[in-house]
Each structure stands twice: as structure tokens, then as C-alpha cells.
Amino acid sequence: MLAKANRIVHGGDFRRIVRTGRRAGGPLAVVHRAQPEAAVARFGFIVSKQVGNAVVRNRVKRRLSEIVREELPTIEATDIVIRALPAAGKADFATLKAGIAPLLEQRS
């Protein structure tokens, strides 16, 4: 689990990042990156019902959180929202990590 300082929890922050941030996409997810409001990198996850039922959605969120936690030392201070696409529900951890990690490394 990510530290509280590294999580985006307010709806207004999600809206700001998705609407004003730069977008990078892949077959498994879309990453929205915006200017930071804090001195640390912050992350939020959007996993809709199109990804799967509640069990699948929660599994995808846990996997995304773990991927971000592993990559956190290499990511500059920025606000990032990761929106999972339906293919993420069927992907295993290694495939998901291979699809997400390059998107996190891209600079805004």
C-alpha cells in the first residue's frame, strides 16, 4: 500500500489531473500526469466496472498500487492518475507491470 502522502483521495484532485494533465496511453491503462500540488509524487487509480466485477477491480487496484510502490523512487514529484482499461482485468501482474512501468517513466 502506498503511504498516505503518496495517495490522491479527493475527487477534485482526480478531476483536475484528468482534465488538465498530459496523457499517455497503452493497451492496459491511460496515465494522466499534472503539475504537483505537493512536494512528493501522488497517485490515484480509476478502475471502472468495465474492467470486471468487484473482485477483479480490487485486484487490479492492488496490482497497480504495488507497481507504483516499486517504481516510486524513480518518479519525479508529480500528480498521476492511472485509469485502467478493460484489458487490465485479464492481465497478470508481470504483463500489467510491463505495460504500466514505461508510462510512469515518461516525463511531462
Side-chain angles (χ1 to χ4, degrees):
M1 177 181 256
L2 288 171
K4 187 171 184 171
N6 296 113
R7 285 184 268 168
I8 298 170
V9 293
H10 298 291
D13 290 336
F14 276 93
R15 281 187 295 279
R16 176 185 63 84
I17 295 164
V18 171
R19 289 180 182 167
T20 65
R22 297 183 59 90
R23 212 172 41 223
L28 300 174
V30 177
V31 174
H32 301 269
R33 182 186 303 260
Q35 294 298 319
E37 285 192 352
V40 296
R42 297 187 317 154
F43 298 88
F45 306 104
I46 299 172
V47 184
S48 74
K49 287 186 178 184
Q50 292 179 342
V51 174
N53 63 20
V55 173
V56 173
R57 291 193 310 268
N58 286 325
R59 182 183 315 130
V60 169
K61 281 187 258 187
R62 286 192 308 271
R63 287 177 176 176
L64 290 173
S65 181
E66 180 61 21
I67 292 166
V68 166
R69 192 184 63 75
E70 289 176 3
E71 299 289 328
L72 192 57
T74 64
I75 299 171
E76 63 186 18
T78 186
D79 289 344
I80 296 175
V81 171
I82 300 173
R83 183 171 48 90
L85 298 176
K90 296 175 181 67
D92 62 350
F93 183 80
T95 305
L96 195 59
K97 184 172 182 177
I100 299 294
L103 297 175
L104 293 175
E105 294 172 1
Q106 292 178 357
R107 304 286 182 226
S108 55

